[in-house]
Amino acid sequence: MMQKLIGPFKQIVTLAGLPMKGAVSDDQLEIISDGGVLIEGGLINAVGNIAELHKQYPQAEVQEIESPQVLLPGFVDCHTHICFGGNRAKDYAMRIAGKTYLEIAKAGGGIWDSVTQTRLMDQETLEKDLLKRANRHLADGVTTIEVKSGYGLNVEQELKQLRAIKNVNSKTSASLISTCLAAHTLPKDFNGSKAEYLGYILNELLPIIKQEQLSNRVDIFIEESAFDKENGHKYLLAAKQMDFGLTVHADQFTPGSSEIAVMCGALSADHLEASGYKEIAMLAASDIVSVVLPGASLGLGMQYSPARKLLNAGACVAIASDWNPGSAPMGNLLMQASVMAAAEKLTTAEVFAGLTVRAAKALNLNDRGILQTGMMADMQSYPANDYREILYYQGQLKPQYVWTKGKLSTT
Ligand SMILES: [Zn+2]
């Protein structure tokens, strides 16, 4: 098989050898100076000093990098809602003028507005818009993107969203990982209780998702405005029985639902802005990934999730964008992570790990997020001499090159 040697890179930050949980200092980062990467069949075959790789693999085709670049694994955004119709600029204006998230929802705005607009959109337009967002993320170095449904809220419309995600996955070089979030909120037009709605999703929707292989992940929003802990717990256990991987929108406004995520063996508990000492200790003691979403804090003007405390307690912390039309419309993952790092006092190593290998764990993917032999060659390089410049420019420094499965991506 053809081998391709890419380099030289001023620095390669491999993210190899880091602990999956807890605090990490920058001197734990493996940094290869004057590095190169040997690609074969879409995978990384070797990472090392470029001169040595040239000697070892003289027959490899060379992709010369002519300006100083710092190479990282592609980012993994493990929590987004980028399959939607319309926008919520009106909500945003209300919110910055002082209305709360719950007030806007109760006034008929919020998620329901996106549901209405997404239902009205035909599948072709939905796919076109999703592809645009996925490719924008890819150009920003995000090579794996989780995408949730949750703006359909009935069988037909949730399937429309999940089919759109599946179709767009074959049209972009980014990897899209879909998640069924039919349990986002009780739809206004459902004739029954919250428990009955969850039963309807379990019986009528999830079997079709399995059958059509549209997703192997299920998410639920457990909160006052959405579903309670008891119903949420039952729903998650039933979805687990059907072999779905689990994730939970937890502790966003009130603490407690992260406990349900841990009890059900979820892959991740996401949000955690309201997590207190008890929740932090429990998350840290478990195998779950704690996903923090600075974009939602910025959009809602609320406190960041306690990333520093979670890391100090020993949790596995990933950072995702929560890109969605309501609370996190920006969708700039690197900017959000950089700004949160300054507020929460995170090391560069913790931020990079949270955007790569630890985020991959939240999606149950162990084939990416680290630049080492055998991993998928999803990579990005920044025009810089030193890796510290990447967070320093707070998202303004963009990757110059992005590779997916070893191929330079053009979007
Ligand atoms: Zn979300």
Side-chain angles (χ1 to χ4, degrees):
M1 202 179 283
M2 202 186 69
Q3 293 178 327
K4 185 166 65 177
L5 179 56
I6 309 176
F9 295 99
K10 195 84 185 164
Q11 294 180 331
I12 297 178
V13 186
T14 66
L15 277 297
L18 296 180
M20 274 312 282
K21 293 177 73 176
V24 196
S25 64
D26 289 349
D27 56 20
Q28 288 176 272
L29 285 173
E30 180 186 60
I31 295 168
I32 298 170
S33 302
D34 304 315
V37 182
L38 187 81
I39 312 285
E40 191 172 341
L43 302 178
I44 296 170
N45 187 310
V47 183
N49 176 273
I50 187 87
E52 282 167 26
L53 289 173
H54 273 303
K55 258 188 254 163
Q56 254 180 300
Y57 303 95
Q59 77 291 359
E61 180 199 326
V62 175
Q63 186 179 332
E64 185 85 19
I65 301 296
E66 283 163 0
S67 58
Q69 300 276 325
V70 175
L71 186 75
L72 292 182
F75 290 146
V76 174
D77 190 349
C78 63
H79 183 139
T80 86
H81 308 248
I82 57 172
C83 182
F84 62 85
N87 72 61
R88 301 237 298 275
K90 271 189 220 159
D91 280 19
Y92 192 79
M94 277 174 75
R95 191 179 317 113
I96 60 175
K99 301 282 182 209
T100 67
Y101 184 91
L102 294 177
E103 277 169 352
I104 294 167
K106 280 172 186 161
I111 293 167
W112 188 248
D113 191 16
S114 292
V115 172
T116 308
Q117 299 190 62
T118 304
R119 284 181 178 179
L120 285 171
M121 191 171 261
D122 62 81
Q123 185 161 331
E124 200 187 324
T125 316
L126 199 60
E127 288 180 16
K128 214 178 77 206
D129 288 358
L130 171 59
L131 179 63
K132 242 188 268 170
R133 294 183 194 112
N135 282 341
R136 200 196 95 185
H137 233 16
L138 179 61
D140 283 352
V142 185
T143 49
T144 297
I145 310 167
E146 188 260 11
V147 187
K148 301 177 196 296
S149 66
Y151 297 123
L153 306 189
N154 63 36
V155 169
E156 177 202 350
Q157 292 287 339
E158 284 290 310
L159 289 173
K160 181 176 86 178
Q161 276 202 286
L162 290 166
R163 287 175 186 140
I165 297 164
K166 187 175 183 177
N167 290 342
V168 171
N169 186 42
S170 64
K171 293 178 190 161
T172 173
S173 332
S175 308
L176 304 191
I177 308 292
S178 65
T179 304
C180 174
L181 179 58
H184 202 179
T185 187
L186 177 69
K188 287 185 176 179
D189 58 353
F190 183 78
N191 193 12
S193 66
K194 287 181 177 178
E196 285 165 336
Y197 175 70
L198 294 177
Y200 157 74
I201 295 303
L202 281 170
N203 295 326
E204 314 271 333
L205 177 62
L206 296 190
I208 305 177
I209 292 174
K210 274 273 143 188
Q211 206 180 355
E212 287 191 32
Q213 298 184 332
L214 293 172
S215 176
N216 57 17
R217 295 165 46 82
V218 157
D219 193 352
I220 182 169
F221 188 18
I222 303 182
E223 191 58 61
E224 186 203 321
S225 61
F227 298 97
D228 65 34
K229 286 196 269 183
E230 197 191 324
N231 283 325
H233 193 184
K234 275 192 213 149
Y235 177 73
L236 287 167
L237 289 181
K240 193 179 185 179
Q241 282 282 317
M242 297 172 77
D243 234 13
F244 284 97
L246 308 178
T247 175
V248 180
H249 278 67
D251 297 359
Q252 186 178 9
F253 301 110
T254 52
S257 46
S258 55
E259 185 182 8
I260 305 295
V262 172
M263 276 161 59
C264 294
L267 291 162
S268 72
D270 301 25
H271 271 295
L272 311 175
E273 290 88 336
S275 298
Y277 171 78
K278 187 179 142 215
E279 288 76 29
I280 290 169
M282 194 182 43
L283 289 161
S286 76
D287 207 27
I288 206 166
V289 181
S290 300
V291 179
V292 299
L293 305 165
S297 301
L298 290 168
L300 296 172
M302 65 187 283
Q303 80 279 9
Y304 291 109
S305 311
R308 180 72 269 149
K309 286 182 185 161
L310 282 160
L311 286 162
N312 287 351
C316 175
V317 174
I319 305 171
S321 72
D322 197 21
W323 189 357
N324 73 72
S327 56
M330 178 207 298
N332 185 336
L333 179 60
L334 180 57
M335 183 273 180
Q336 293 163 356
S338 309
V339 168
M340 183 192 209
E344 274 291 306
K345 311 300 172 206
L346 307 180
T347 66
T348 302
E350 287 162 347
V351 174
F352 284 174
L355 292 171
T356 57
V357 59
R358 290 177 171 185
K361 184 175 186 232
L363 299 178
N364 204 19
L365 299 170
N366 54 17
D367 60 352
R368 65 196 76 188
I370 305 177
L371 300 178
Q372 68 180 17
T373 305
M375 289 282 175
M376 248 164 67
D378 283 5
M379 327 187 287
Q380 50 169 337
S381 78
Y382 290 80
N385 286 296
D386 184 287
Y387 71 93
R388 284 165 288 215
E389 292 174 48
I390 295 169
L391 296 186
Y392 170 65
Y393 288 111
Q394 299 180 313
Q396 275 302 98
L397 189 70
K398 304 281 186 186
Q400 186 165 339
Y401 303 108
V402 180
W403 294 263
T404 50
K405 300 193 181 85
K407 279 202 193 96
L408 203 53
S409 88
T410 43
T411 55

